[in-house]
Amino acid sequence: MYTSETHQLMSKLASEGQFLSLSRRSPELFTSEKKPLEFTLSNGTLVHIAGPGIIAFTPENKGDKAIILSCGIHGNETAPIEICDQYVVDILTCKLVLGHRVLFIFGNLPAMDKATRFVDENLNRLFSQAHNSASVNQNGYECKRAKELEVAVAQFFNASLSNKAQSSNTSRQNDETRYHYDLHTAIRPSKNEKFAVYPYLHGESHSKEQLSFLLACGVDTFLLSGSSTTTFSYYSSRQFNAHAFTVELGKVQPFGQNDMSRFAAVTETMKRFICGQTIEAKPFENKDMLIYKVNQVINKHADDFVLEFSDDLPNFSTFEKGALLARETGAEYRAQYDGEAVVFPNANVAIGQRAILTVIPTTLV
Ligand SMILES: [Zn+2]
């Protein structure tokens, strides 16, 4: 049974919808013995709060999709946080009725307050058990949070397996298709403002339907990852066979300073998607998008590693074959193809870490 304070909290959430601001201001409301918190909205939607910043909804008439929208995995990437916050407010106050089960995750709550990317370390490098590695601060906020988020994702994606709502057809296994869009904004500018990283699929084929959907969201550039990583989207892709993407929606701005018109396509299209409405997506054609695959992973081996281009070079800037990209004692790194582009360059990483990724155009057959 819930206490009267908890009942008050639930009716406050249903009347005002301020789940994110309560999670940031008073995370203790959603932890300890009060976890998880479950209640039903007046339109029959079941609300399940697994912890601060982690809220799932099951509409009365749910479709065949299980969708995760995560944001704020980096605390200062405000635009996706504002977009998801608005969805959650509208769902809690019954302005928006979902068509599928949806889990919203607001990742790094303390970093949001500090307006920083993270508190102790990069949360988006700690998934798939990386939070248990000896090289990370296991007592830091992000390691604990990565663990908590992995559990929330697993519970959400596995929920329909044990869901008695399907008892009318008990022979059915989990027949939901799973999706996870991890929404970010980038630190550096990008020649292609909105792009998505498609996690490594271990030989499985890429979903053209998903690329078409993301194109309808305004994302026209895709980077096909070529190896296992410890990102959040790779975790959902690998562990739960979800259609999962790290989606970069533009450049980092402080809270309240985003030009939300730049996010209109993604906000509207994603809203239609979670509400189970039809989406006007063009059938897939390679010519409508830029698709890249990884060519070189350049790691830093010496302290004197330097980039041979300006620090604020936009992501996806291209080079001619043979152009010098970076050097360090004992090595020079050059473009191997005309049109080879650099993404996420960073000379200030630790020795042994990735300093530059280079990509070359490819197409899907
Ligand atoms: Zn980010």
Side-chain angles (χ1 to χ4, degrees):
M1 285 302 287
Y2 294 126
T3 61
S4 63
E5 283 120 38
T6 306
H7 281 288
Q8 271 174 20
L9 172 64
M10 293 188 293
S11 59
K12 186 175 165 64
L13 281 168
S15 62
E16 297 167 21
Q18 299 297 328
F19 174 66
L20 174 60
S21 69
L22 284 171
S23 290
R24 291 177 60 185
R25 232 176 27 232
S26 316
E28 70 284 353
L29 289 173
F30 304 113
T31 49
S32 69
E33 75 281 359
K34 298 185 189 82
K35 179 179 155 181
L37 198 64
E38 270 196 352
F39 57 100
T40 305
L41 302 175
S42 60
N43 63 11
T45 300
L46 179 70
V47 182
H48 177 103
I49 298 175
I54 307 172
I55 187 165
F57 300 98
T58 305
E60 205 167 33
N61 298 309
K62 72 184 179 74
D64 57 1
K65 296 177 170 65
I67 304 163
I68 298 180
L69 294 183
S70 56
C71 62
I73 293 299
H74 296 131
N76 59 348
E77 299 178 0
T78 55
I81 300 171
E82 291 175 351
I83 293 168
C84 289
D85 182 33
Q86 191 60 53
Y87 289 150
V88 169
V89 170
D90 289 349
I91 295 163
L92 282 169
T93 55
C94 294
K95 285 197 193 103
L96 202 65
V97 182
L98 292 172
H100 302 286
R101 296 201 302 125
V102 183
L103 169 65
F104 289 91
I105 291 174
F106 299 91
N108 201 325
L109 300 168
M112 286 176 206
D113 294 337
K114 299 167 82 159
T116 54
R117 193 168 162 79
F118 51 78
V119 180
D120 294 309
E121 58 196 302
N122 185 351
L123 177 55
N124 209 21
R125 295 286 176 276
L126 294 174
F127 292 92
S128 300
Q129 293 299 315
H131 51 74
N132 279 330
S133 132
S135 63
V136 299
N137 175 5
Q138 292 185 22
N139 293 316
Y141 172 78
E142 279 85 5
C143 276
K144 291 183 186 148
R145 189 63 168 164
K147 248 181 261 182
E148 203 174 10
L149 297 186
E150 286 187 355
V151 170
V153 168
Q155 283 177 346
F156 178 73
F157 277 146
N158 290 330
S160 66
L161 288 172
S162 56
N163 198 336
K164 51 185 180 301
Q166 292 194 4
S167 58
S168 58
N169 190 351
T170 47
S171 65
R172 269 197 328 207
Q173 279 295 298
N174 185 0
D175 54 0
E176 285 180 329
T177 308
R178 296 162 172 174
Y179 303 83
H180 180 180
Y181 304 98
D182 184 32
L183 308 176
H184 290 250
T185 48
I187 312 168
R188 68 173 55 238
S190 178
K191 274 182 78 184
N192 312 91
E193 187 186 68
K194 295 183 173 58
F195 65 96
V197 180
Y198 206 140
Y200 181 49
L201 296 181
H202 298 262
E204 297 284 318
S205 56
H206 296 93
S207 165
K208 291 177 178 173
E209 207 177 25
Q210 280 294 296
L211 297 203
S212 291
F213 167 69
L214 286 165
L215 186 65
C217 292
V219 178
D220 60 1
T221 302
F222 297 90
L223 170 53
L224 311 181
S225 178
S227 56
S228 310
T229 55
T230 51
T231 62
F232 202 11
S233 64
Y234 176 82
Y235 171 73
S236 289
S237 171
R238 185 66 177 153
Q239 297 298 317
F240 302 99
N241 204 21
H243 293 293
F245 296 87
T246 306
V247 186
E248 301 280 354
L249 293 176
K251 194 158 179 303
V252 164
Q253 303 288 350
F255 277 115
Q257 293 184 27
N258 292 297
D259 173 1
M260 295 315 273
S261 69
R262 301 179 83 93
F263 306 99
V266 63
T267 307
E268 184 57 30
T269 307
M270 206 53 97
K271 182 162 84 184
R272 297 187 67 82
F273 184 64
I274 60 180
C275 292
Q277 295 163 351
T278 51
I279 287 156
E280 308 261 325
K282 275 185 76 182
F284 175 85
E285 282 194 81
N286 278 297
K287 69 172 174 53
D288 293 333
M289 38 192 102
L290 286 161
I291 305 175
Y292 290 99
K293 65 177 179 183
V294 175
N295 186 49
Q296 301 184 62
V297 179
I298 299 173
N299 291 333
K300 174 175 173 174
H301 299 289
D303 280 327
D304 61 358
F305 185 100
V306 283
L307 301 174
E308 288 295 323
F309 45 79
S310 93
D311 249 3
D312 56 357
L313 183 85
N315 275 325
F316 295 103
S317 295
T318 55
F319 290 84
E320 297 295 305
K321 180 178 176 180
L324 186 62
L325 302 176
R327 62 189 157 76
E328 61 188 345
T329 299
E332 282 186 350
Y333 302 99
R334 294 178 183 276
Q336 296 169 338
Y337 294 89
D338 280 338
E340 190 162 346
V342 296
V343 273
F344 309 126
N346 185 357
N348 296 321
V349 295
I351 301 282
Q353 298 274 303
R354 185 186 83 197
I356 311 180
L357 201 58
T358 79
V359 298
I360 52 174
T362 187
T363 52
L364 290 189
V365 287

